[in-house]
């Protein structure tokens, strides 16, 4: 009997997935039976990714593509269709953060974060939706954030982008749900990846970073997440197990959003 979580016969594209959360998600989709395609912004990152997938036992297809470049994205999607097959599952994972107080942030930097974290998921989704419609459906998973719900000092652009990505998720679900396209988000909590390494840096006196201590106290699970914590939720949202789930963000945060925080 075939499992509702099986991705046999599917082609999944995970953007920016040479390492970190994207790599873990793509590995999980491969374990569920999917063919994996990923991209990154330069050849050395793609090569690093190809090696990591090979060591994991996955024969992934890696491409160089900047997801903010609409013309390059259209060429990339056409190349995938020619060389691998049409995309059944898209995971918009590529993302950047700049931690700068808002009044010190240039408008150019603000736009750059919005471009990668919000405009690019629009561009890549737009490029795969017509073929999903033609083939009777598809899955889009947008990697959102705690900052889709919460603010904090220094992350105005990132929070604006990830809040926008939550609403883009709901809108894709609204606009294309009738074509059997499910678009959902995953909202990771604080996950140990290169993106959050500066928040976990050991201090000169050997003590833990104050933000590291703050996150552990704010997380009911009392730990940072690891990228592999996103594997199960990703397989669920990519598979037919979630065929009537649309426009939701599944927060995978060890309970952060449920918790008011420890009394000082
Ligand atoms: P990461 O370690 O920085 O990986 C992000 C990947 O995206 C990198 O490979 C990066 O390449 C790539 N990328 C950046 N800009 C790109 C572009 N224009 N075109 C193609 N690829 C691009 O981040 P992560 O922590 O794994 O995060 C993955 C996603 O999860 C992001 O959307 C992030 O915002 C989100 N997220 C992370 C956390 C967390 O705690 N780590 C929590 C919630 C949400 P470079 O190495 O060249 O930058
Ligand atoms: C920060 C963090 C985050 C996270 C993540 C939380 O500086 O607060 O980098 O924003 O990485 O997106 O879900």
């Amino acid at each position: 009997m075939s499992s509702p979580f099986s991705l046999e016969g599917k082609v999944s594209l995970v953007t920016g997935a040479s390492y970190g959360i994207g790599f873990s998600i793509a590995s999980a989709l491969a374990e569920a039976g999917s063919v994996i395609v990923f991209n990154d912004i330069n050849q050395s990152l793609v090569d690093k990714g190809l090696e990591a997938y090979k060591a994991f036992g996955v024969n992934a297809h890696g491409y160089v593509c900047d997801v903010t470049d609409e013309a390059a994205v259209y060429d990339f999607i056409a190349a995938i269709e020619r060389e691998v097959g049409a995309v059944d599952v898209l995971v918009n994972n590529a993302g950047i953060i700049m931690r700068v107080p808002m009044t010190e942030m240039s408008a150019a930097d603000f736009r750059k974060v919005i471009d990668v974290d919000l405009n690019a998921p629009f561009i890549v989704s737009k490029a795969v939706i017509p073929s999903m419609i033609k083939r009777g459906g598809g899955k889009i998973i947008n990697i959102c954030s705690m900052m889709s719900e919460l603010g904090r000092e220094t992350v105005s652009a990132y929070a604006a982008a990830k809040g926008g990505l939550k609403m883009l998720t709901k809108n894709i679900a609204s606009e294309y749900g009738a074509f059997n396209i499910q678009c959902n988000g995953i909202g990771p909590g604080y996950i140990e990846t290169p993106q959050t390494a500066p928040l976990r840096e050991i201090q000169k006196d050997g003590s833990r970073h104050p933000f590291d201590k703050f996150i552990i106290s704010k997380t009911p699970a009392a730990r940072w997440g690891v990228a592999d914590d996103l594997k199960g939720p990703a397989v669920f949202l990519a598979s037919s197990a979630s065929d009537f789930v649309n426009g939701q963000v599944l927060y995978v945060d060890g309970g952060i959003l449920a918790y008011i925080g420890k009394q000082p």
Side-chain angles (χ1 to χ4, degrees):
M1 201 176 74
S2 99
S3 156
F5 298 99
S6 169
L7 296 175
E8 289 296 338
K10 303 289 183 193
V11 173
S12 301
L13 164 60
V14 187
T15 66
S18 297
Y19 59 87
I21 288 173
F23 178 83
S24 278
I25 288 179
S27 304
L29 303 186
E31 284 172 319
S34 182
V35 171
I36 297 303
V37 183
F38 73 98
N39 71 296
D40 223 308
I41 38 181
N42 61 50
Q43 190 61 50
S44 72
L45 277 172
V46 170
D47 290 343
K48 187 177 148 189
L50 286 171
E51 239 171 73
Y53 285 105
K54 200 166 155 204
F56 191 74
V58 173
N59 183 21
H61 303 262
Y63 292 80
V64 175
C65 177
D66 178 343
V67 286
T68 64
D69 179 343
E70 188 167 12
V73 167
Y74 273 87
D75 289 347
F76 171 45
I77 299 299
I80 298 171
E81 291 204 6
R82 250 187 349 261
E83 293 159 17
V84 187
V87 175
D88 299 295
V89 177
L90 165 65
V91 183
N92 283 308
N93 166 78
I96 59 168
I97 191 166
M98 293 188 200
R99 299 184 184 96
V100 187
M102 184 177 142
T103 52
E104 292 164 29
M105 189 172 209
S106 69
D109 279 348
F110 189 92
R111 282 193 196 101
K112 190 163 182 208
V113 174
I114 300 284
D115 212 24
V116 179
D117 293 357
L118 179 58
N119 295 345
F122 160 76
I123 290 170
V124 187
S125 301
K126 190 182 141 191
V128 299
I129 285 171
S131 149
M132 287 180 172
I133 291 175
K134 248 190 248 158
R135 287 174 303 108
K139 302 274 185 182
I140 299 176
I141 302 172
N142 290 325
I143 304 305
C144 297
S145 164
M146 293 291 87
M147 272 63 217
S148 299
E149 300 293 338
L150 302 170
R152 87 169 185 88
E153 299 79 359
T154 75
V155 296
S156 57
Y158 187 80
K162 294 293 187 178
L165 186 57
K166 174 181 73 175
M167 287 314 299
L168 178 65
T169 301
K170 289 175 190 277
N171 215 82
I172 293 173
S174 306
E175 204 163 344
Y176 298 105
F179 297 96
N180 192 30
I181 292 174
Q182 289 84 47
C183 179
N184 291 289
I186 291 180
Y190 279 82
I191 311 292
E192 290 176 358
T193 69
Q195 194 209 63
T196 54
L199 305 175
R200 282 176 282 106
E201 226 163 42
I202 298 294
Q203 304 299 280
K204 284 200 181 86
D205 64 0
S207 65
R208 291 194 355 233
H209 194 294
F211 195 84
D212 179 0
K213 291 192 240 171
F214 163 67
I215 283 303
I216 300 220
S217 78
K218 183 74 185 79
T219 308
R223 65 169 175 88
W224 282 69
V226 293
D228 282 1
D229 287 322
L230 284 325
K231 284 182 150 191
V235 170
F236 169 60
L237 291 177
S239 66
S240 63
S242 60
D243 277 355
F244 202 53
V245 180
N246 214 353
Q248 300 298 313
V249 179
L250 174 52
Y251 290 100
V252 185
D253 64 353
I256 294 180
L257 290 177
Y259 185 36
I260 193 169
K262 218 178 276 304
Q263 181 186 304

